[in-house]
Every structure is written in C-alpha cells, then in structure tokens.
Amino acid sequence: METLVNGFKTNRAFAVTSLLVLLLLAIALAAPIISPFDPTHAEMKDAFLEPSMTHLFGTDKLGRDCFSRVLYGARASLTGVLVLVASVFLVGTTMGVLSGYFGGKVDIIIMRFSDMMISFPGMILAIAIAGIMGGSLVNAVIALTIVSWTKYARLARSMVLKVKRRDYVEAAIVNGGTSPHILWVHILPNILPMMVITAAADIGALMMELAGLSFLGFGSQPPAPEWGLMLNEGRQQLQTAPWLMIFPGLAIFVTVVIFNLWGDNLRDVLDPRNDVKD
Amino acid sequence: MKKLFKISAAAAMIGVLALAASGCGGGSSKKANVTNEMVKFGVTNFADNLDPADNFFSWVVMRYGLGECLVKFDNKMNATPWLADKWSISDDKLTWTFHINDKVKFSNGDKLTAEIAKESLERTFKLSNRAQSVFQYSEIKADGQNLIIKTKNPTPSLPGMLADPLFIIIDTKVKDRDIKKEGPICTGPYAVKTYSKAKAVMVANPNYWDGAVPFKNAEIPTIDDPNTRAMALQKGEIDFAINIAAGDLQLFKDKAKYNISEIASLRTVLAQINMNEGKPLHDPKVRAALIQCLDRVTYNKVLLKDTFIPGKAPVPPSLDYGFDQLKDPNAYNPENAKKLLAEAGWKDTNGDGYVDKNGKNLEIDFVFYSGRAELPLYAEATQADAKKIGIKVNMKNVDYNVLDPMRQKGQFDLIISNILTANTGDPEVYLNWYWKSNINGSQPQNSTGYSNAKFDALSDKLAVEFDPAKRRQYMIEMQQILLDDGVALFFGYPKTNMVSKAGLVNANIYPADYYWLTKDIAPKN
C-alpha cells in the first residue's frame, strides 16, 4: 500500500492513469444519475435516429437511447471484467501456490490438468463452455475463468518454487511453522505483487474476450446494455446506422487503453526489481 | 547501425501494410456490364447435398435452375403448365391425367416420358416421408405421354401439390450417378458442374427444351450473412443477390446501377401461444392483453423499415383469403390491454414494474432462433412492449434444430415461426398444421392445447371441397375463428427481394420461394 501511495506521488503517468480508472468506475457507478434515458425503454417510433442533441449517440433498432446504453454498458462490462479478473486471479493463484508448495502428486495432478486446458484453443473452448451452459454474463465469466486460470497457476507455481528455497522459508520450516502459516506469512506476500501486476495488465485483454463472447451471443443477453452485445446488434446496420457500432466500439477501445496503460504503470510502481535500484 | 535498423524496420512495416491493403482490394475490377459468359448469384443455402428427396434440399435444386416440376406457380400462385402441358380430372374426382410436354429433354439428351416421370415420383415417395403428408396415391400409371395418378381421397389441389419442389422430375434412367454429390440429371436451364454447400458451379444445359439458355456459366456462392451479401453486390463480386436485409436495401436505390425486385411473400411470421391448462396464457384475457399491447404497425414500418407488412391474420394479404374483411379484435390498444390484465386479476402489488397474482409475477418464455434477422427483433420488440403493461417476457434464443422438438413438446409460452403459408398453392395445410385439434399426435405441430370444434368442422369440409369459391370462404371463416380466439401473435409478412446489377434483366422474385435462377434472367442487350 505504501509503495502505491509513493508511486502515486512520484510517478506522474501512474497518477494520471489511476485517475482515469477512477473516472471510469465513477461513470459506471453514476450511470443512473448521468443517463438522460432509461437504457431499456424502447420508443420504437424513434428507431435509428442519428446522433443529435437529444440523443447524443443516436438511437438503436428499438429506439433506445444509445448514450444511456453506453453509460449503463460500463456497469455491465466493468463489473463483468473485474469479477472475471478476480476469479481468474483467485483460482489461478491458489492452484499455483498449492502445486508449487506441496509438489509431488498434487503438483502433477494440477499441472497436467492445466496442460490439458492449455492444449485447447482458449476462445473456442470458452465458446463451447458458454454455449453448453447457455448465454449469460455470469456463464461467460465462468467460461473465461475456466480457460484463463492456467496462466496464473503456472506463474504462481514457478515463483513459489523460487521462494521456497530461500533461507527464511527453510528457517520457518525448521522452526516448526505449519504449512498454512508459511504459505500465508512467508510465501504469499512475496509473490503477490507480481501476480497483481499480471492481473492488472490482463484486464484489457480479458475485457476484449468478454465483449467477444457477448458479441457472439454467448455473454449478455438482450435487452441488457453491454458493449459487446451492442456491437453485435449494430453490425446489421453497419452501413446505414454506423453510430450503433462506433460508440460502443469507442467505449471498449478507450476502456481497454486506459486499463492497459494503468497496468503498465502499476508494474513500474510495484515491480520488486525496482526496489533494488533504490 | 541502429538507425539503419530502424529505417529498414519502418520500410518493412510499410511494405507489409501495403501488401495487406492490396490483399483487401482483391482484384476488384468492377465490371458494370454482365456478359453471357458468366453470371454470379449470391444466395443463402442450407443444402448439404442435391438429392431432391432428402430433407428440404429440393428447394435448392430448383432455386439453382437445375430441377423443374410438372406444374409451376405463376405470380398469383395459380398452378400453370411446366413439364406437364395440360391436365384433367375424372368424374369420380380421384383420377388425374397429366400430359407430359413432348419437347422436354433432360440435360443429357434423354426425352422425358411419362414412364420416367412416374419412376421419379415413386422414388420421391420411397425416399421422403414428407411426400406422404402432402398427398397419398393408390396408383401411378404411364400411358405414352400421359401420367395417370389415382389418389386415395379426393385431392382438390393436386396440381399445386405437384408444384412443390419435392416433386422435381429427375432422369431415373441414369443409374450410375452419385445424386447427392453430383446432383441429379434434370430438365432445368442449368446443369451442375460442381457442388458444395459453400459454392455451386453450374453450366448451361445444352439440351434445354424451353429456348436458349442466356449464360454459359453460373457461379452460385453461398453468402449466408445478409450484410456480407449486400457488400459483395456493392463491390461487384456478384451480379445479383437474394434477400438483401431491411436496413441495407436503401443502398441499392440508384436505378442506374441496380434493379430491386420486391414482392410480398407468402410467408407469415407468427408466434404460437401455449394455452394449455396451468400456463399463464391459458386465460383468454391475458392472451388478448398480450396481443393488444404489441404495436405491430411500428415494428414493421419503422424497425423493419417497411420491408414487412404489418401482421393481422394467419394468411398474408398476398394471398386472396379475405385479409381486408377479417376483423382483428386485438388490434393495438395498450390502455385496454392494461384493463384486461386488471380484470384477469393481475396487478403490480410489489412495485417491481411487473404485474403479479398470488405473489407470482406474470412471466412468459419466448422461444425463437436468430437464423432470420427479423426474428430476434420481433422477440425483443415484444419484450419491450409487454414490459410496458407489466408482462415479463424471458427470451430463449435456441438453435433452429432445437426449436422444432420444443414446439412439438410444448416447451414454450410463445414460439416463433416464419412459415410459408401456401406450399401447395393455398393455405389449407398450414392452417391445419398449427391449429386443428391435435388428437393423439394427429397434428404434431399443434401442442398449444388449442382446440375448437367449429374450426375442425370447417377444416373437414375444406378437405374434400373442389369449388374454389367455397374453399376460399371456409378458409376465411377459419381465420376469423382463430383471430377471435387470440391463438397467436401474427407479427408481419415479409417482402422478399432480389437485387441485381442494372446489366441484368428479368432478375425477378416470385411469391413462391423457389424460382430464383430462372431461364429468363439474362444479360441486358
């Protein structure tokens, strides 16, 4: 936490991108206050209106206000992606730590299972899983968790293996420390910064995958305002009502860029290797 | 050194981009004119093979200018001569005599005789279980060029039934041909060179019996996505295309460049209502409320940009079965819909925006598929409008292959359908299919629990009636019963279109869904 505050003070890029991330979150939270219209209210006589002062981003195929839908979409997309990152992070790190620390059969089982998952093309497996479970945002998050956790498991495992041979861990073992205690106090804190950095840098990529699943119809279902889904709905009017694709697309683009930059800067701030220089 | 590296990297990058860009261009030599060498036709296609007796693949055999039937529908769905040049019926109403046109030859030069026509029909009955449900014969005989069909029951619309692509006539003398892969030998203007689901290559039939074939070659790529099809036509990769989507039609308004042939089809988009005991829509008042809350005129005029005609009755106005005289008791009236719900005891007591009774919200499942662009739109519009009067509609988007079993098992409250209402020339079969009482599985498509003795009585009278005026009157009365009972949501009637480059003539669409690449489509001049 201290490093974060320090980074905020000294690293300007980190400060700026952090503010932008907060701004995004604020927009998502304040969507009901900022939005001029109910995002699901259909005024069908006003379908396909071009962007104007009343409808900043135009209206969609059912006459719903696109601006309000993009704002509300931030809620669905951000909540979805944050939950996804959190679950991938939790599942992956836990598996990796267990596998690395206990070794032996536990290691073999977990790692061979993860090899199995890796040998499938990720997105296609996710589509299959989401397809079987039925389309919904929750199922899309579960499907992507199932295909993405392996990366974190491998990373966590390799770092645990490194940390495990350090003297202080050996000392803790000699002193009769229990496994949960050693894991919690000596190992986890040492691998956590690297894991957090990886997770933060992944937010953008996972957001694209989540939007991709929604675009293909395996994520959010109509009439929910979600950016990937909105892109798919706008696709049919690409030539006649391009604003239906431009604005949700822009929203995804901006959000992904902000999260990627933030993730990069977070790495600069948190990376333990930076400590050596000080 | 480092600088040199940077410069060469940049140059390589530009090179790669240029290559990518030229790849996108893809030799788009825009040919405005079409010559008689080649025509390219962008279509949607569902046929894995070209056996007319398999599934509904006969439709594709006919659409691609390969197969022809004894009888053809004209613009008004009257049965007119095709391979048979005339026909008559005996006094006992059971024996039909079709005279086969003497000129007709197959693409391999064989002459079409009544014997071949007989064998071809028998083959269809042997291989397709659907044939039995169209009509049943006791005997087919060949006598020179006369084909004599004896039916088991009086079958007033037999000529129209024989116009169904299922009864395409193929050369049964040819035994050593893989019909599924190479396609059958038929009498149409084009013959198959190669066929796959993705692309068909056709050549002119050198022995065509009905005039000269306008093109030496025809390529028919399958482009199932409507937007891609429109773009292919804009770019000139194809010369004409079937069914440009509602939103894209305006891209082709320039008459100097394109012809649009548009027609009200014989299709109806509707949702059957499950009114079995215990289902929320069992109550006629709730059904009426649901139908009345839907602003179907706006769906079709605005959302679908006038490419659909607003729905009202089971049979579309393109067929003359009293569309204008039928009275819809459930025309758009959201205020009355709310009143009806209240009368039926549904009120929003917990303030969540949905009406409830005994602590349960009024929720219904709408089962649909998205293979046709308008279906999800109707479903979403229904959801939005129903919400305004407090009915919660849950969307169930399923694969088309799952939909029909769900329909037959009654696993739905509303289930979508885009159906050809006059496959055999009139809507008799269609009306029976969906709404005649289902007694021990006699009408497997009607699992809605709907049964009306008056409707069934009319249907039985219709089955043996030969007088066209009386048949029409029966079908009008049957439709009025359905409207009064509030049996379905009739959303709208699609217009279908064919858009062609100005360099083509006679690329016209017909009400029957299977006359696409005809002998009349030709280069201008």
Side-chain angles (χ1 to χ4, degrees):
Chain A
M1 202 62 210
E2 210 177 310
T3 35
L4 274 183
V5 176
N6 274 336
F8 203 79
K9 283 181 190 154
T10 53
N11 185 331
R12 191 176 297 164
F14 178 66
V16 171
T17 47
S18 299
L19 282 179
L20 286 175
V21 167
L22 288 178
L23 187 69
L24 271 181
L25 295 177
I27 287 175
L29 286 175
I33 305 166
I34 321 171
S35 296
F37 295 92
D38 176 348
T40 55
H41 180 76
E43 203 53 67
M44 292 177 205
K45 292 205 162 61
D46 296 336
F48 303 115
L49 292 184
E50 285 174 28
S52 65
M53 284 317 285
T54 343
H55 299 284
L56 283 177
F57 291 178
T59 59
D60 74 356
K61 60 175 181 177
L62 289 179
R64 297 172 296 202
D65 179 53
C66 239
F67 180 60
S68 309
R69 286 178 71 74
V70 169
L71 288 181
Y72 269 88
R75 302 189 121 192
S77 299
L78 286 180
T79 328
V81 79
L82 292 178
V83 170
L84 172 60
V85 169
S87 66
V88 172
F89 177 81
L90 273 179
V91 175
T93 311
T94 317
M95 291 297 206
V97 168
L98 292 179
S99 164
Y101 183 77
F102 291 107
K105 277 184 188 155
V106 180
D107 184 30
I108 289 173
I109 291 172
I110 294 179
M111 279 303 119
R112 291 304 81 76
F113 189 64
S114 102
D115 287 347
M116 224 166 69
M117 304 301 295
I118 286 175
S119 54
F120 287 106
M123 195 61 179
I124 292 173
L125 186 60
I127 289 172
I129 296 170
I132 292 166
M133 294 194 297
S136 80
L137 193 58
V138 176
N139 288 348
V141 167
I142 295 175
L144 284 173
T145 307
I146 293 176
V147 297
S148 317
W149 64 271
T150 50
K151 178 180 166 191
Y152 290 77
R154 291 177 152 238
L155 184 67
R157 174 176 174 271
S158 67
M159 287 198 304
V160 169
L161 286 178
K162 214 167 83 185
V163 174
K164 214 168 93 176
R165 294 199 202 94
R166 290 281 177 84
D167 292 344
Y168 56 84
V169 178
E170 309 258 329
I173 294 173
V174 172
N175 281 335
T178 58
S179 291
H181 175 81
I182 295 171
L183 277 176
W184 194 250
V185 176
H186 298 295
I187 292 185
L188 210 53
N190 282 302
I191 69 165
L192 216 48
M194 196 62 207
M195 299 305 295
V196 170
I197 290 164
T198 314
D202 257 2
I203 294 180
L206 286 172
M207 174 164 245
M208 301 281 271
E209 291 192 3
L210 202 58
L213 277 187
S214 288
F215 178 82
L216 294 172
F218 299 106
S220 293
Q221 295 298 310
E226 201 271 349
W227 294 336
L229 181 66
M230 288 168 75
L231 278 182
N232 186 21
E233 289 178 344
R235 186 178 61 92
Q236 287 159 10
Q237 285 83 30
L238 178 58
Q239 294 196 60
T240 49
W243 57 89
L244 294 181
M245 284 199 90
I246 291 175
F247 293 110
L250 213 57
I252 294 179
F253 171 72
V254 169
T255 314
V256 169
V257 166
I258 288 177
F259 273 108
N260 279 348
L261 290 177
W262 182 68
D264 272 2
N265 290 313
L266 186 69
R267 187 191 58 209
D268 292 346
V269 172
L270 280 188
D271 198 333
R273 272 168 292 187
N274 290 351
D275 295 345
V276 184
K277 286 181 211 153
D278 293 340
Chain B
M1 190 64 203
K2 204 171 178 188
K3 200 174 173 190
L4 187 71
F5 180 72
K6 266 188 182 169
I7 289 172
S8 58
M13 198 69 192
I14 290 168
V16 167
L17 285 178
L19 192 71
S22 71
C24 291
S28 64
S29 53
K30 274 194 184 172
K31 43 168 192 170
N33 277 321
V34 188
T35 66
N36 66 348
E37 271 302 317
M38 167 75 80
V39 67
K40 292 183 179 175
F41 180 24
V43 298
T44 53
N45 178 14
F46 56 85
D48 297 324
N49 68 62
L50 285 177
D51 187 346
D54 196 357
N55 205 310
F56 274 81
F57 300 162
S58 53
W59 284 49
V60 175
V61 176
M62 188 168 281
R63 284 171 168 178
Y64 286 14
L66 175 62
E68 296 175 332
C69 282
L70 295 175
V71 180
K72 187 178 190 174
F73 290 122
D74 67 4
N75 260 333
K76 299 201 168 92
M77 291 304 284
N78 298 309
T80 60
W82 208 0
L83 299 180
D85 51 14
K86 58 187 180 214
W87 53 83
S88 57
I89 181 172
S90 66
D91 291 336
D92 67 355
K93 309 280 188 198
L94 289 171
T95 308
W96 293 79
T97 307
F98 290 84
H99 182 266
I100 308 289
N101 190 329
D102 249 334
K103 288 192 304 184
V104 179
K105 278 183 181 172
F106 287 100
S107 58
N108 59 2
D110 287 352
K111 182 178 187 301
L112 171 62
T113 60
E115 184 61 35
I116 294 180
K118 167 183 179 272
E119 284 173 11
S120 178
L121 291 181
E122 283 170 346
R123 175 182 185 274
T124 305
F125 270 90
K126 202 175 105 196
L127 296 176
S128 168
N129 58 4
R130 200 155 52 87
Q132 290 285 339
S133 72
V134 180
F135 73 95
Q136 296 184 344
Y137 68 88
S138 52
E139 192 185 10
I140 303 183
K141 276 193 304 193
D143 175 18
Q145 287 299 91
N146 282 330
L147 180 73
I148 298 148
I149 302 177
K150 280 190 180 157
T151 56
K152 282 192 181 154
N153 307 304
T155 312
S157 42
L158 184 69
M161 289 166 173
L162 288 175
D164 188 310
L166 183 60
F167 301 111
I168 281 174
I169 302 298
I170 70 171
D171 189 351
T172 50
K173 280 210 296 196
V174 178
K175 307 282 183 202
D176 56 345
R177 194 178 169 87
D178 185 349
I179 287 183
K180 284 193 192 303
K181 265 192 200 154
E182 300 169 278
I185 299 286
C186 291
T187 57
Y190 295 94
V192 185
K193 193 168 168 198
T194 60
Y195 178 80
S196 73
K197 197 175 177 184
K199 186 178 183 179
V201 180
M202 315 290 290
V203 291
N205 169 1
N207 295 303
Y208 191 53
W209 61 279
D210 197 11
V213 182
F215 292 101
K216 289 182 188 162
N217 298 287
E219 268 185 28
I220 311 179
T222 300
I223 311 175
D224 279 327
D225 182 75
N227 303 101
T228 318
R229 214 157 52 236
M231 283 190 251
L233 183 58
Q234 278 179 306
K235 270 198 76 189
E237 286 167 11
I238 51 176
D239 301 316
F240 65 121
I242 196 74
N243 276 336
I244 296 297
D248 290 337
L249 211 51
Q250 66 204 63
L251 302 170
F252 300 98
K253 286 285 182 216
D254 184 355
K255 286 215 171 90
K257 284 187 179 161
Y258 301 104
N259 303 315
I260 298 179
S261 167
E262 195 179 36
I263 194 168
S265 74
L266 306 177
R267 287 180 174 272
T268 299
V269 182
L270 63 100
Q272 282 177 286
I273 298 178
N274 192 341
M275 53 189 91
N276 279 299
E277 195 89 38
K279 288 281 183 181
L281 296 172
H282 178 66
D283 185 342
K285 278 192 175 156
V286 180
R287 281 204 309 270
L290 178 65
I291 303 174
Q292 289 181 21
C293 81
L294 306 179
D295 185 1
R296 287 171 282 173
V297 174
T298 304
Y299 299 174
N300 296 289
K301 297 246 176 237
V302 183
L303 306 188
L304 290 162
K305 300 183 180 167
D306 240 349
T307 54
F308 279 63
I309 299 161
K312 175 175 107 177
V315 179
S318 52
L319 287 164
D320 180 22
Y321 288 94
F323 185 81
D324 292 326
Q325 73 188 74
L326 289 168
K327 287 193 182 65
D328 184 5
N330 294 319
Y332 180 53
N333 191 345
E335 288 314 310
N336 194 49
K338 281 181 200 164
K339 228 183 284 167
L340 284 171
L341 277 185
E343 284 171 23
W346 293 93
K347 286 194 181 75
D348 184 9
T349 54
N350 55 7
D352 66 349
Y354 296 110
V355 294
D356 51 77
K357 188 154 91 176
N358 306 329
K360 261 179 82 179
N361 274 346
L362 181 49
E363 281 191 45
I364 53 179
D365 288 342
F366 195 159
V367 179
F368 65 100
Y369 62 101
S370 41
R372 290 175 181 270
E374 77 279 6
L375 303 185
L377 190 65
Y378 279 131
E380 283 178 53
T382 301
Q383 186 184 43
D385 267 346
K387 191 183 164 201
K388 290 177 189 166
I389 63 162
I391 300 177
K392 185 171 188 188
V393 176
N394 299 317
M395 314 267 272
K396 297 256 185 278
N397 188 351
V398 301
D399 191 82
Y400 182 72
N401 295 320
V402 182
L403 189 90
D404 204 46
M406 288 179 85
R407 185 194 306 285
Q408 300 199 10
K409 288 180 200 149
Q411 295 164 334
F412 60 89
D413 289 307
L414 300 170
I415 193 162
I416 202 99
S417 183
N418 177 330
I419 186 171
L420 190 63
T421 58
N423 224 359
T424 56
D426 75 25
E428 178 185 357
V429 176
Y430 151 69
L431 290 173
N432 288 340
W433 254 37
Y434 277 178
W435 295 293
K436 196 173 184 180
S437 299
N438 184 2
I439 299 154
N440 297 327
S442 61
Q443 297 294 340
Q445 298 287 324
N446 176 15
S447 62
T448 60
Y450 179 67
S451 174
N452 184 322
K454 270 203 285 185
F455 181 91
D456 293 348
L458 280 167
S459 161
D460 290 339
K461 271 159 76 179
L462 175 65
V464 291
E465 181 58 62
F466 275 77
D467 177 9
K470 278 193 185 152
R471 288 178 65 82
R472 177 172 176 271
Q473 190 51 41
Y474 290 153
M475 282 188 261
I476 293 173
E477 288 170 29
M478 285 160 79
Q479 288 186 74
Q480 189 60 56
I481 292 174
L482 297 178
L483 287 178
D484 292 341
D485 287 345
V487 295
L489 310 176
F490 298 105
F491 286 112
Y493 317 106
K495 297 176 188 171
T496 52
N497 62 62
M498 189 182 272
V499 181
S500 55
K501 284 185 186 167
L504 279 181
V505 292
N506 295 332
N508 292 327
I509 188 87
Y510 294 84
D513 229 347
Y514 26 74
Y515 307 135
W516 284 4
L517 179 58
T518 62
K519 69 175 173 68
D520 299 321
I521 297 180
K524 210 171 181 174
N525 309 319

